[in-house]
């Protein structure tokens, strides 16, 4: 907890081969004597030219940095082998929330399975960015943002901008991201500049910016800006894209969609796609470059690729959820022997058990593949009323990934 007195983590130039994981960094940013936030990183600054760095399962929250210059809440300037995954950016205020790049050379960098939620601009300046990619880079090659959720952000969602005058072609890949319910005062959600940009399997919907959603531009007149959109649900379709002169656009009208994605709209992951969604099995694996690594799981912990198909967006459709009207127990039809609360849960749930006139009962936890993961109870009492606690671990004490699990009672 920085208590708005300092930023919390820093790595100097050329520091390499390390990982940071499983922590929460909160309330970074320096409050000056006149109660304004100074020009400082909000939470983390990893200086340039480090290699083989992994940032895993870190929550960055309640930070505040002033708008202007290179200010940011989290800034990284790595070279090769950088991976950021399973991170949450939540309720931060100020300029760029995540800045990747800045006068450094890198090969291929990954941002995977991250959530950007509730990010706001500085009240002194209504500008601000959720994610800024490659600002000022000279020799960046490939940056991949895959399986991420951008939602409830009150500022520009993504800026991918390069100020480069060399002969290298910069490439950004946006794959299986869900960009939904974001707002921006100047009606712009995504700014793309100075590189080749590719969108695959994304959902871009209900961003409250009107039809002006994506801008493809070439500010430095480098003649290097292009955009290719494939197998993506984009609200307003081609009308959502503004293309400046000297920029090239490829929009696949046969695989892209402009329709309601039909989200689940409830529980911990409201932007999971529900049954009947047009996004089911309409993503592409065949068009992706060979070097793209698809994450094993989606944001809810479900398998990302099933067979040879993939859905659009950051969540794979879960066939055990058969419709909003059918979700959860129907108390009107039969007595309930098992009830779980809270459900869904983050750390622990209480499983209420009510049975009678049975000689033996066993209660176990299974996943969607039918694999038994946890034995909770064996009882030989004819009447059993109790509450069991389950903390999301298996029989070996290992924490299970987020997802849907089944509590099953066997009795005779």
């Amino acid at each position: 907890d920085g208590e708005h007195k300092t930023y919390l983590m820093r790595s100097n130039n050329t520091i390499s081969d390390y990982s940071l994981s499983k922590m929460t960094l909160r309330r970074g940013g320096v409050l000056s004597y006149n109660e304004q936030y100074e020009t400082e990183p909000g939470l983390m600054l990893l200086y340039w030219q480090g290699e083989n760095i992994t940032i895993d399962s870190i929550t960055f929250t309640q930070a505040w940095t002033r708008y202007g210059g290179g200010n940011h809440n989290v800034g990284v300037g790595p070279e090769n082998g950088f991976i950021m995954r399973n991170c949450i950016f939540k309720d931060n205020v100020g300029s760029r929330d995540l800045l990747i790049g800045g006068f450094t050379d890198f090969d291929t960098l990954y941002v995977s399975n991250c959530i950007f939620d509730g990010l706001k601009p500085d009240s002194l300046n209504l500008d601000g960015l959720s994610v800024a990619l490659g600002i000022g880079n000279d020799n960046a090659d490939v940056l991949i943002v895959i399986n991420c959720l951008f939602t409830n952000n009150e500022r520009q969602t993504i800026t991918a901008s390069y100020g480069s005058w060399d002969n290298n072609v910069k490439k950004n890949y946006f794959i299986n991201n869900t960009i939904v319910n974001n707002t921006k005062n100047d009606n712009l959600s995504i700014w793309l500049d100075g590189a080749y940009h590719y969108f695959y399997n994304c959902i871009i919907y209900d961003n409250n910016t009107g039809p002006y959603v994506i801008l493809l531009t070439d500010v430095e007149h480098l003649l290097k800006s292009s955009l290719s959109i494939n197998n993506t649900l984009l609200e307003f379709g081609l009308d959502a894209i503004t293309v400046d002169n000297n920029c090239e656009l490829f929009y696949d009208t046969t695989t892209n969609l402009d329709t309601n994605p039909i989200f689940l709209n409830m529980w911990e992951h409201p932007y999971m796609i529900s049954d009947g969604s047009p996004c089911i099995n309409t993503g592409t694996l065949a068009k992706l470059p060979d070097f793209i690594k698809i994450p094993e799981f989606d944001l809810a912990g479900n398998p990302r690729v099933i067979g040879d198909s993939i859905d659009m967006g950051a969540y794979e459709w879960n066939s055990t959820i058969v419709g909003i009207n059918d979700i959860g127990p129907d108390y009107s039809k039969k007595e309930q022997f098992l009830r779980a609360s809270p459900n869904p849960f983050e750390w622990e749930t209480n499983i209420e058990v009510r049975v009678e006139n049975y000689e033996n009962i066993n209660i176990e936890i299974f996943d969607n593949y039918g694999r038994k993961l946890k034995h909770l109870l064996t009882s030989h009492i004819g009447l059993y009323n109790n509450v069991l606690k389950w903390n999301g671990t298996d029989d070996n004490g290992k924490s299970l990934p987020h997802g849907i699990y089944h509590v099953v009672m066997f009795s005779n």
Side-chain angles (χ1 to χ4, degrees), residues 144-150 158 172-180 190 192 197-205 207 213-214 227-235 251 255-261 263 271 273 277-280 282-284 288 304 310-315:
I144 300 163
V145 180
I146 186 168
N147 219 94
C148 294
L149 172 66
F150 302 83
I158 296 173
N172 291 320
Y173 291 87
F174 301 92
I175 302 169
N176 280 102
N177 300 299
T178 296
I179 303 170
V180 60
I190 300 172
L192 306 173
H197 308 278
Y198 302 88
F199 281 74
Y200 297 97
N201 308 341
C202 293
I203 297 175
I204 307 172
Y205 186 78
N207 285 292
V213 179
I214 299 174
L227 170 62
S228 176
I229 302 180
N230 301 268
N231 299 78
T232 288
L233 189 150
L234 175 61
E235 188 178 21
Y251 183 89
T255 64
N256 292 324
L257 303 175
D258 176 13
T259 187
N260 189 331
F263 292 125
Y271 298 116
I273 53 176
S277 170
C279 301
I280 298 172
T282 50
T284 180
L288 301 181
R304 180 70 268 194
I310 192 169
D311 299 339
M312 294 179 180
Y315 298 93

Side-chain angles (χ1 to χ4, degrees), residues 80-94:
N80 302 322
F82 175 82
I83 299 174
M84 173 175 280
R85 63 190 175 208
N86 306 318
C87 293
I88 297 174
F89 295 76
K90 175 74 172 174
D91 298 332
N92 297 319
V93 176

Side-chain angles (χ1 to χ4, degrees), residues 225-371:
S225 290
S226 71
L227 170 62
S228 176
I229 302 180
N230 301 268
N231 299 78
T232 288
L233 189 150
L234 175 61
E235 188 178 21
F236 306 115
L238 281 168
D239 291 336
I241 308 168
T242 299
V243 182
D244 282 353
N245 294 333
N246 301 321
C247 299
E248 297 181 355
L249 170 66
F250 173 79
Y251 183 89
D252 190 342
T253 57
T254 63
T255 64
N256 292 324
L257 303 175
D258 176 13
T259 187
N260 189 331
I262 310 182
F263 292 125
L264 187 62
N265 289 321
M266 59 190 304
W267 295 353
E268 183 182 359
H269 300 283
Y271 298 116
M272 291 179 65
I273 53 176
S274 186
D275 57 308
S277 170
C279 301
I280 298 172
N281 292 335
T282 50
T284 180
L285 294 171
K287 296 178 183 177
L288 301 181
D290 293 339
F291 60 83
I292 298 293
K293 301 175 183 178
I294 300 294
E296 184 178 0
F297 299 104
D298 69 4
L299 288 180
N302 297 308
R304 180 70 268 194
V305 178
I306 300 176
D308 58 355
S309 66
I310 192 169
D311 299 339
M312 294 179 180
Y315 298 93
E316 198 74 9
W317 176 61
N318 191 319
S319 60
T320 63
I321 299 179
V322 295
I324 291 177
N325 294 328
D326 300 320
I327 292 174
D330 185 350
Y331 296 105
S332 65
K333 292 184 179 181
K334 59 182 179 180
E335 181 182 359
Q336 295 299 305
F337 299 112
L338 298 172
R339 298 179 184 178
S341 177
N343 182 21
F345 69 97
E346 183 68 24
W347 303 110
E348 185 177 75
T349 188
N350 299 310
I351 301 172
E352 183 180 0
V353 184
R354 293 184 178 181
V355 294
E356 57 183 82
N357 299 325
Y358 293 97
E359 293 183 359
N360 301 292
I361 61 172
N362 289 282
I363 298 176
E364 297 169 339
I365 305 291
F366 292 79
D367 64 12
N368 282 334
Y369 294 98
R371 297 175 296 198

Side-chain angles (χ1 to χ4, degrees), residues 100-101 106-111 131-135 137 140-146 158-162 169-175 177 190-200 202 216 224-229 289 291-292:
I100 297 181
F106 60 69
D107 182 7
T108 302
L109 312 182
Y110 270 87
V111 177
V131 178
L133 308 175
I135 300 294
N137 283 359
D141 288 331
V142 177
L143 197 147
I144 300 163
V145 180
I146 186 168
I158 296 173
T159 290
S161 178
Y162 291 82
V169 175
K170 323 309 176 192
K171 295 181 180 180
N172 291 320
Y173 291 87
F174 301 92
I175 302 169
N177 300 299
I190 300 172
W191 173 296
L192 306 173
D193 178 22
Y196 292 174
H197 308 278
Y198 302 88
F199 281 74
Y200 297 97
C202 293
L216 177 64
K224 294 180 180 179
S225 290
S226 71
L227 170 62
S228 176
I229 302 180
F291 60 83
I292 298 293

